[in-house]
């Protein structure tokens, strides 16, 4: 959706989607640190107004902020003041509304309070970056809601075009031409990941594939490539669930970091 503006100088983007689950289940996933770890990124949230919120994006940096509204299970808001050097604060508001059939409507709004359009690209980037994670959130709520979760991440940057990077990535992983609903697995090195293809998305800015894992344990794998303007980032994010999640994440991350660096060297 396009950026919206008003006379005060406020500019914002908004997203809305329908999610499976009760308001309480959706709230746990989007408004707690343990919930965000299960589908987004490593997150800490002090669950109160004035509490600290912190996102760890690994090689992509980090961001901290403050909780500005806390109304379980309906409304959650926070502000990040140092999310990018020289940028105005960005405010995020999330509302959860119950729907029939054990579903909820999630509405997310990112707002910048500035009349300057210098940050419009970044604001549009917020919106463009969410769809893959929202798909992970849906899978998590259907299959793994409430389970212990630990994530791991590996990324490499290259000067190659995004389409070529995607081709190389999926070919090396044995996922070239994968279709939704298929059972697929990766080679044994760096480790075998096996499961069902849940989503494949390709466009000019990004490409990604989601695999709901059965091996080496319950989880979700996100394989992706996205254009940076000057080149392409290729990445894999693994979301490990269940009692062995922490050990699997600790074992996986260095293997995939080495594999990514070697594959795209």
């Amino acid at each position: 959706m396009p950026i919206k503006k008003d006379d005060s100088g406020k500019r914002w983007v908004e997203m809305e989607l329908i999610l499976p689950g009760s308001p309480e289940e959706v709230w746990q996933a989007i408004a707690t640190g343990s919930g965000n770890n299960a589908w987004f990124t490593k997150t800490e949230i002090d669950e109160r107004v004035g509490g600290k919120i912190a996102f760890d994006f690994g090689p992509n940096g980090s961001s901290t902020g403050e909780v500005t509204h806390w109304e379980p299970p309906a409304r959650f808001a926070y502000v990040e003041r140092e999310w990018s050097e020289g940028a105005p604060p960005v405010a995020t508001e999330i509302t959860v509304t119950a729907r029939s059939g054990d579903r909820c409507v999630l509405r997310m709004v990112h707002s910048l309070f500035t009349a300057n359009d210098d940050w419009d690209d970044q604001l549009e980037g917020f919106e463009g970056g969410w769809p893959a994670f929202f798909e992970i959130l849906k899978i998590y709520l259907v299959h793994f809601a409430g389970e212990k979760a630990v994530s791991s991440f590996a990324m490499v940057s290259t000067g190659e075009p995004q389409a070529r990077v995607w081709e190389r990535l999926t070919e090396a992983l044995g996922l070239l031409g994968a279709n939704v609903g298929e059972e697929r697995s990766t080679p044994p090195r760096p480790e075998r990941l096996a499961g069902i293809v849940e989503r494949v998305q390709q466009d000019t800015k990004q490409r990604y594939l989601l695999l709901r894992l059965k091996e080496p344990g319950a989880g979700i794998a996100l394989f992706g490539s996205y254009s940076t303007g000057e080149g392409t980032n290729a990445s894999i994010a693994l979301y490990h669930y269940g009692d062995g999640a922490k050990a699997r994440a600790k074992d996986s991350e260095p293997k995939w970091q080495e594999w990514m660096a070697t594959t795209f060297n």
Side-chain angles (χ1 to χ4, degrees):
M1 296 179 66
I3 294 174
K4 298 183 178 181
K5 306 173 185 179
D6 64 19
D7 293 338
S8 72
K10 176 184 174 182
R11 51 223 305 129
W12 70 95
V13 292
E14 57 187 52
M15 294 148 281
E16 189 172 285
L17 68 153
I18 296 176
L19 293 172
S22 67
E24 290 76 18
E25 288 172 328
V26 173
W27 178 267
Q28 188 278 333
I30 58 94
T32 69
S34 60
N36 274 264
N37 291 339
W39 64 274
F40 181 40
T41 194
K42 296 172 184 176
T43 305
E44 296 180 9
I45 301 176
D46 186 0
E47 300 173 12
R48 61 180 178 84
V49 173
K52 180 181 177 181
I53 184 168
F55 301 104
D56 180 356
F57 300 109
N60 289 317
S62 61
S63 181
T64 61
E66 178 183 333
V67 177
T68 56
H69 195 96
W70 184 262
E71 185 185 344
R75 184 178 170 217
F76 169 48
Y78 55 92
V79 60
E80 297 165 88
R81 295 186 174 85
E82 297 179 358
W83 59 277
S84 184
E85 186 176 354
V90 58
T92 299
E93 181 180 45
I94 301 171
T95 56
V96 179
T97 306
R99 281 277 184 93
S100 61
D102 199 28
R103 299 179 302 163
C104 292
V105 176
L106 175 73
R107 183 172 182 267
M108 178 181 287
V109 180
H110 293 300
S111 303
L112 288 177
F113 293 88
T114 175
N116 193 323
D117 61 6
D118 289 350
W119 301 98
D120 284 1
D121 286 348
Q122 284 86 342
L123 196 57
E124 290 177 344
F126 290 158
E127 183 183 26
W130 280 113
F133 293 109
F134 286 155
E135 292 297 328
I136 297 170
L137 175 58
K138 291 176 184 178
I139 298 168
Y140 167 72
L141 287 169
V142 170
H143 298 281
F144 308 110
E147 291 195 21
K148 295 177 182 177
V150 182
S151 61
S152 56
F153 185 77
M155 187 187 81
V156 66
S157 298
T158 173
E160 291 188 79
Q162 191 221 154
R164 175 57 181 153
V165 171
W166 178 249
E167 182 182 22
R168 290 181 61 193
L169 180 66
T170 53
E171 186 173 23
L173 292 169
L175 298 172
L176 187 64
N179 291 307
V180 172
E182 290 183 340
E183 291 198 14
R184 288 289 190 113
S185 62
T186 65
R189 294 184 180 180
E191 68 175 335
R192 184 175 186 269
L193 303 176
I196 297 172
V197 179
E198 291 277 0
R199 178 82 175 181
V200 181
Q201 175 67 38
Q202 299 190 55
D203 59 42
T204 56
K205 292 184 178 180
Q206 65 177 337
R207 290 169 165 83
Y208 65 87
L209 183 150
L210 292 175
L211 196 65
R212 175 164 53 90
L213 300 176
K214 297 179 180 179
E215 299 177 34
I220 300 171
L222 167 63
F223 308 98
S225 66
Y226 62 93
S227 175
T228 62
E230 299 177 351
T232 303
N233 286 348
S235 64
I236 174 172
L238 295 173
Y239 300 88
H240 311 268
Y241 304 128
D243 290 337
K246 186 175 181 179
R248 294 200 307 274
K250 184 178 180 181
D251 181 61
S252 265
E253 192 162 76
K255 291 179 180 178
W256 284 102
Q257 287 173 341
E258 181 181 3
W259 183 87
M260 293 287 277
T262 301
T263 302
F264 293 96
N265 188 352

